């Protein structure tokens, strides 16, 4: 009998402009635009969204960006923004061919580890109503809905997880 070897997940901290990271952030934003408008993205629409919601602060000293590999393939990302005593989770994305293989859980665990390492006592995030899979992922991993802590045109649900 031959054993099946399944790829594992590994995360590293990268710069948002690094080629794999930039590609994943563009894919993330493309999916956000498509899902929000319920249609294909129009020419220039993703570029405009990337300008409206930049990721350049997901680097030292204001935050970090995690790149997840599933085996050798870049397969997902997640960002953290440092706030006084806590961290904000953002840009959680797993490429469609890798969904259902534990990438979301791996990214959350890595983000939580990094947040603890810098002394954050909790992680917060906001998300949209239409991102039901994301909301389910957060709930499965101990994030609870809280009152709004931020304002934004796309913030409809707010979550928090205590790290200590």
């Amino acid at each position: 009998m031959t054993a099946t070897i399944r790829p594992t997940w590994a995360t590293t901290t990268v710069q948002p402009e690094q080629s794999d990271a930039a590609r994943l952030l563009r894919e993330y934003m493309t999916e956000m635009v498509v899902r929000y408008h319920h249609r294909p993205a129009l020419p220039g629409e993703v570029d405009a969204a990337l300008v409206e919601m930049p990721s350049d602060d997901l680097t030292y000293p204001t935050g970090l960006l995690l790149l997840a590999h599933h085996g050798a393939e870049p397969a997902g990302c997640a960002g953290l923004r440092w706030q006084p005593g806590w961290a904000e989770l953002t840009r959680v994305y797993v490429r469609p061919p890798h969904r259902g293989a534990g990438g979301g859980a791996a990214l959350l665990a890595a983000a939580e580890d990094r947040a603890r390492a810098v002394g954050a006592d909790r992680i917060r995030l906001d998300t949209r109503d239409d991102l039901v899979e994301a909301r389910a992922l957060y709930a499965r991993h101990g994030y609870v809905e809280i009152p709004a802590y931020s304002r934004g045109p796309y913030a409809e649900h707010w979550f928090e997880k205590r790290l200590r």
Side-chain angles (χ1 to χ4, degrees):
M1 183 157 99
T2 306
T4 302
I5 298 173
R6 299 195 189 279
T8 58
W9 288 92
T11 59
T12 56
T13 303
V14 297
Q15 298 297 310
E17 65 274 5
Q18 187 262 354
S19 62
D20 287 335
R23 192 168 28 261
L24 281 159
L25 288 167
R26 176 169 283 282
E27 289 176 21
Y28 162 85
M29 195 60 71
T30 300
E31 184 168 327
M32 294 304 100
V33 167
V34 167
R35 289 183 68 160
Y36 184 77
H37 293 293
H38 307 286
R39 58 162 171 72
L42 301 175
E45 199 166 29
V46 173
D47 290 330
L50 287 165
V51 169
E52 178 188 352
M53 295 180 292
S55 298
D56 58 346
D57 61 342
L58 301 179
T59 186
Y60 182 82
T62 55
L64 64 80
L65 181 65
L66 296 168
L67 183 67
H69 282 80
H70 192 214
E73 241 183 284
C77 62
L80 288 172
R81 289 189 179 103
W82 307 130
Q83 305 295 333
W86 59 281
E88 182 178 34
L89 183 66
T90 186
R91 307 294 190 270
V92 178
Y93 175 73
V94 175
R95 283 183 161 155
H98 300 280
R99 292 179 184 166
L107 282 163
L108 289 179
E112 291 164 12
D113 287 345
R114 301 303 199 295
R116 277 187 202 94
V118 300
D121 67 358
R122 65 195 179 280
I123 291 181
R124 287 181 169 178
L125 64 99
D126 62 49
T127 191
R128 297 187 335 217
D129 194 53
D130 63 319
L131 301 177
V132 293
E133 305 92 341
R135 293 191 348 253
L137 171 73
Y138 303 134
R140 273 195 315 275
H141 290 276
Y143 289 76
V144 295
E145 286 212 51
I146 60 170
Y149 70 88
S150 65
R151 291 187 185 160
Y154 310 106
E156 297 169 315
H157 295 268
W158 296 262
F159 286 84
E160 178 178 270
K161 182 175 181 177
R162 295 280 176 175
L163 298 176
R164 299 173 195 218

